Amino acid sequence: VVESSGIKFLVTNEETPTIIGAQFIETPEYPVFFGWILQEAVIDAVFSNLKTIDGKALVIGIGAGTTCGMLAKKKVSIRAFEISSQITRLAKERFGLSDDIQVEIGDGFMALNSLTNVVDLVLIDCFNGQGASFTAFSEINLQSLGKFAITVAINLVLETNTENSIVSLAIAKLQRFFPFVVAFRDNPGSNTMPSNVLLVATQDENMLARLLEQKDQVKYLTTNSIEWVRTNFLHWRIMPSHDESIQKWPDPFAYERNVSKKLKVLHSEHLQKEFNFFWFHLLLLYLAWMLWTDSVQMQAEDWGPQWLARLLMSLLALLMRYIFCVRWSMEGLENLESSHSKDPDRASLGCVSPHGAYPVNSLAYGIPYFRVRLNHLRLRVGAASILFYVPILREYLFLFGARQVSRKTIVHLLKAKCRVAINPGGIREMIHQCSHKELVFVQRSLGLFKLAVIHDVPIAICYVFGENQMYTTYPNRFRKLRTLIANSFRVGLPWISGRFGIGLGPVPVIPHPGPVCHIFGPYLDLSDLSRQYQQQSAKSTVNNDQLLYELASEAFERYKIALNKLFDKHKRRFLPPDVAARGLDIIKLGTEEGERRLAQILDEITSFG
């Protein structure tokens, strides 16, 4: 072991001493020679994408233990051979080779030629100063190596940088058993100085693609020279010279062109595989997240942090006000606060109409405002089931109190003393909505009113003035098809256009500017109807369905009167004059009268425009 200029060298004690290992004294973890940087690039490419720690490496010729140390960082299984016990002893005593790495003393080529198990990487780096590197290479059983080794890296020592015929011969031999072979000098090259050439042969096309991406993954920043090597060594790829006696290539550049062409294809395929792998696992993670958070559907308490709700509400308010130019307000909150102050623990049902082509303002203004500013009212909003399968939107709805609309969920929330807001028209109101005529829809079954009667809860009435005017709607376009989709899949697809006339069919676009106001009317008290139902239920457990429907119909009639009163009081303040003059139609879906009136309105829509 010789120390000079801050470096420890492991040299042979022969007549012509040969350096077989080196290490910085102060920073032993950094490679001394450029060739080791190339070898570590290969190690990174082979093991960086390994999904387990079961990788296997075979090293022939340990020198000072530098490559073994690189492999140890990857936590792979290492089998190392060194022909000299003295070199092994010095590597451990003077160069810090870990005792955990077991080095077998003997001829590694015997083990190499008798491989029986697959090895991820074989590193061959043995040299005695007299050309033994190539001699040793010629002794390798390449057939056995090609059968059991996935990747082979051979440090081939040349007497000068001009010995391309030796490189050609080595590559030609390796090509018989490995589909991909590349070679690198360990320096830019000169015509007189000796040079190490690293031959890399592999069965793994992805490994080769990763190796050739190393220039974008500079990790060694200790000195300018090492960073420069790591960044530029790909430019030191060498092309074997044309030699008719070795192999008959059509021209000396054919091999280079074929490899480059293959690598471009491999690189593209590798990126596509990585892309697919990423999105597949991301999808699995999100599916697991959906299952884990599915219980939120029945959760009466808030979900998510209050600071996040405040932040999103502020951002959405800025977006709507200053980008989309939508001026929003809310009136009639005293009706809600008055009911809450009288009986804070009493639940209620809210009828919010109209739905609009898309309930932009209810989503962007309404429910965030209740979560942040009126959280004491414990408002929960019923939303269509399909929305809870849309990533990000699902979490947004959960955060601001929306839950999947179903009878089971609504009953659970009412029992938890929540105020539950629902649009009574649902999907059908969404697809038939008209920007030139105010329409409110109610389902034929009157399910919302039945729940109010059964559970003795009042109904809060809210009308969203201006929601229908956020988009220009075309309810007659593809009406039959969109109705079929709505009935079959419970998905509403309105046909709309937005600001500047931009229209993408059912895809939400930039809304029209204008005023929008949520106005709450007085609560609709249905206590007398609930008492009738409870008294009848106590007398008889049969034939109550007809009574319930009759009581729900009575509740619906009261609702129509109250909603028309609220609409007539405020329509001229917020609606275009022509829309306000046409008044409000409340349509009961599924009934002969309701369907006839809807068909009449849809036929008249062209004249409205």
Side-chain angles (χ1 to χ4, degrees):
V1 176
V2 179
E3 296 186 4
S4 176
S5 302
I7 302 176
K8 286 188 296 186
F9 294 96
L10 181 61
V11 299
T12 61
N13 57 1
E14 299 168 341
E15 191 174 322
T16 304
T18 302
I19 297 174
I20 56 177
Q23 186 179 85
F24 287 117
I25 297 174
E26 296 295 330
T27 54
E29 67 273 16
Y30 299 132
V32 175
F33 298 128
F34 293 166
W36 286 337
I37 301 175
L38 306 189
Q39 291 185 41
E40 186 154 16
V42 174
I43 292 171
D44 285 347
V46 171
F47 294 109
S48 64
N49 208 42
L50 210 61
K51 301 300 185 292
T52 69
I53 60 172
D54 296 330
K56 294 180 174 61
L58 177 62
V59 180
I60 299 178
I62 67 167
T66 302
T67 52
C68 288
M70 296 173 184
L71 288 165
K73 294 177 184 178
K74 297 295 182 181
K75 299 181 180 180
V76 299
S77 175
I78 305 171
R79 188 182 181 192
F81 287 88
E82 173 56 55
I83 202 165
S84 169
S85 60
Q86 190 175 2
I87 290 177
T88 304
R89 178 180 61 80
L90 290 173
K92 292 189 175 183
E93 292 179 359
R94 302 294 300 276
F95 292 87
L97 179 63
S98 173
D99 290 333
D100 295 335
I101 299 175
Q102 300 299 319
V103 181
E104 301 179 35
I105 307 301
D107 188 352
F109 290 111
M110 294 183 63
L112 190 63
N113 294 338
S114 59
L115 283 174
T116 56
N117 295 316
V118 174
V119 180
D120 295 292
L121 175 64
V122 175
L123 269 172
I124 302 174
D125 188 3
C126 49
F127 177 60
N128 66 1
Q130 298 177 0
S133 175
F134 182 72
T135 304
F137 174 77
S138 63
E139 295 173 359
I140 300 173
N141 184 343
L142 290 177
Q143 186 171 1
S144 174
L145 197 60
K147 183 176 181 181
F148 294 103
I150 297 177
T151 299
V152 179
I154 302 173
N155 187 25
L156 191 64
V157 180
L158 306 179
E159 290 302 317
T160 70
N161 265 328
T162 59
E163 292 185 274
N164 278 354
S165 60
I166 294 179
V167 179
S168 299
L169 179 59
I171 288 179
K173 286 189 173 185
L174 287 169
Q175 276 188 294
R176 297 172 190 170
F177 305 99
F178 292 90
F180 303 101
V181 182
V182 290
F184 303 96
R185 283 193 179 92
D186 67 351
N187 60 66
S190 67
N191 293 327
T192 57
M193 295 296 293
S195 173
N196 286 41
V197 172
L198 187 67
L199 297 173
V200 182
T202 184
Q203 317 276 4
D204 183 1
E205 57 188 24
N206 292 325
M207 173 268 162
L208 191 58
R210 290 194 296 273
L211 175 63
L212 296 185
E213 291 172 350
Q214 292 285 341
K215 62 181 179 180
D216 299 323
Q217 302 174 12
V218 179
K219 302 177 183 177
Y220 304 93
L221 304 178
T222 55
T223 68
N224 288 336
S225 61
I226 292 178
E227 178 184 355
W228 179 73
V229 171
R230 188 68 174 195
T231 309
N232 292 283
F233 79 83
L234 291 179
H235 301 303
W236 304 347
R237 284 180 61 190
I238 56 178
M239 182 205 68
S241 63
H242 178 49
D243 189 335
E244 294 284 348
S245 64
I246 297 172
Q247 47 189 333
K248 295 181 179 180
W249 292 330
D251 63 76
F253 299 98
Y255 174 75
E256 180 74 9
R257 285 199 300 268
N258 289 336
V259 169
S260 298
K261 185 177 180 180
K262 285 183 179 179
L263 288 177
K264 287 181 181 179
V265 175
L266 291 176
H267 182 69
S268 176
E269 292 176 352
H270 173 69
L271 290 179
Q272 185 62 43
K273 288 178 181 178
E274 291 294 326
F275 179 82
N276 294 340
F277 177 83
F278 170 78
W279 285 108
F280 174 73
H281 284 80
L282 185 63
L283 177 61
L284 288 182
L285 284 174
Y286 190 75
L287 290 175
W289 165 255
M290 288 183 65
L291 291 174
W292 187 56
T293 56
D294 188 61
S295 60
V296 179
Q297 299 285 5
M298 302 296 290
Q299 183 175 310
E301 302 303 321
D302 289 332
W303 183 84
Q306 188 73 358
W307 66 264
L308 180 59
R310 290 180 181 276
L311 175 63
L312 287 178
M313 187 187 80
S314 300
L315 294 176
L316 285 168
L318 291 173
L319 176 69
M320 296 295 289
R321 180 67 181 86
Y322 295 105
I323 303 300
F324 295 158
C325 302
V326 176
R327 304 184 303 277
W328 177 80
S329 60
M330 183 179 288
E331 297 180 10
L333 287 176
E334 64 276 6
N335 293 314
L336 302 181
E337 295 287 6
S338 174
S339 174
H340 177 72
S341 60
K342 291 178 183 178
D343 190 354
D345 294 329
R346 190 179 186 190
S348 66
L349 279 170
C351 289
V352 182
S353 299
H355 186 287
Y358 290 103
V360 176
N361 292 283
S362 293
L363 290 175
Y365 280 126
I367 58 176
Y369 191 85
F370 273 91
R371 166 70 196 261
V372 175
R373 303 286 177 81
L374 301 172
N375 198 27
H376 60 284
L377 295 179
R378 289 170 57 82
L379 178 72
R380 297 294 173 261
V381 180
S385 304
I386 188 66
L387 300 180
F388 293 94
Y389 293 95
V390 181
I392 308 302
L393 177 59
R394 176 179 185 269
E395 286 68 35
Y396 176 89
L397 294 173
F398 279 161
L399 179 66
F400 290 116
R403 303 293 184 260
Q404 183 174 322
V405 63
S406 66
R407 183 183 182 88
K408 180 181 178 181
T409 303
I410 295 172
V411 170
H412 175 78
L413 294 174
L414 290 176
K415 290 181 178 179
K417 311 301 181 185
C418 293
R419 287 165 171 78
V420 184
I422 304 170
N423 174 264
I427 299 298
R428 288 287 299 277
E429 181 169 332
M430 184 177 179
I431 64 174
H432 293 312
Q433 202 56 259
C434 177
S435 52
H436 301 291
K437 168 69 176 173
E438 295 295 296
L439 299 173
V440 169
F441 295 79
V442 174
Q443 302 296 332
R444 177 182 182 179
S445 61
L446 301 177
L448 185 145
F449 299 97
K450 288 180 180 179
L451 287 174
V453 171
I454 293 172
H455 296 279
D456 190 16
V457 293
I459 292 180
I461 299 174
C462 176
Y463 200 91
V464 189
F465 289 90
E467 187 74 87
N468 279 344
Q469 284 69 49
M470 287 294 96
Y471 296 104
T472 302
T473 58
Y474 307 92
N476 284 323
R477 292 189 182 177
F478 306 104
R479 182 171 67 184
K480 292 183 179 180
L481 175 61
R482 293 186 295 114
T483 301
L484 176 63
I485 293 173
N487 294 336
S488 302
F489 304 104
R490 307 298 299 163
V491 176
L493 298 175
W495 206 266
I496 61 174
S497 65
R499 196 174 185 182
F500 311 118
I502 300 174
L504 298 174
V507 180
V509 289
I510 301 174
H512 295 298
V516 176
C517 186
H518 282 70
I519 299 184
F520 292 89
Y523 270 94
L524 191 62
D525 188 10
L526 304 177
S527 299
D528 57 326
L529 302 180
S530 297
R531 282 195 297 272
Q532 291 183 45
Y533 177 73
Q534 291 167 5
Q535 291 170 2
Q536 181 62 31
S537 298
K539 294 178 183 178
S540 173
T541 58
V542 296
N543 298 326
N544 289 330
D545 291 344
Q546 182 60 34
L547 173 64
L548 179 60
Y549 187 80
E550 292 175 358
L551 295 174
S553 298
E554 172 61 24
F556 171 56
E557 293 301 323
R558 298 182 187 181
Y559 164 76
K560 287 200 297 182
I561 294 172
L563 185 61
N564 273 306
K565 183 178 179 180
L566 180 69
F567 177 84
D568 291 337
K569 182 179 180 181
H570 300 283
K571 63 183 180 180
R572 290 182 177 83
R573 294 172 54 205
F574 297 103
L575 297 178
D578 58 328
V579 176
R582 295 187 186 105
L584 171 67
D585 270 271
I586 303 173
I587 296 174
K588 187 177 180 182
L589 294 167
T591 63
E592 183 178 347
E593 179 184 355
E595 295 295 336
R596 184 172 61 250
R597 178 55 182 156
L598 175 61
Q600 181 183 355
I601 292 172
L602 293 177
D603 290 340
E604 296 172 355
I605 280 177
T606 52
S607 64
F608 293 162

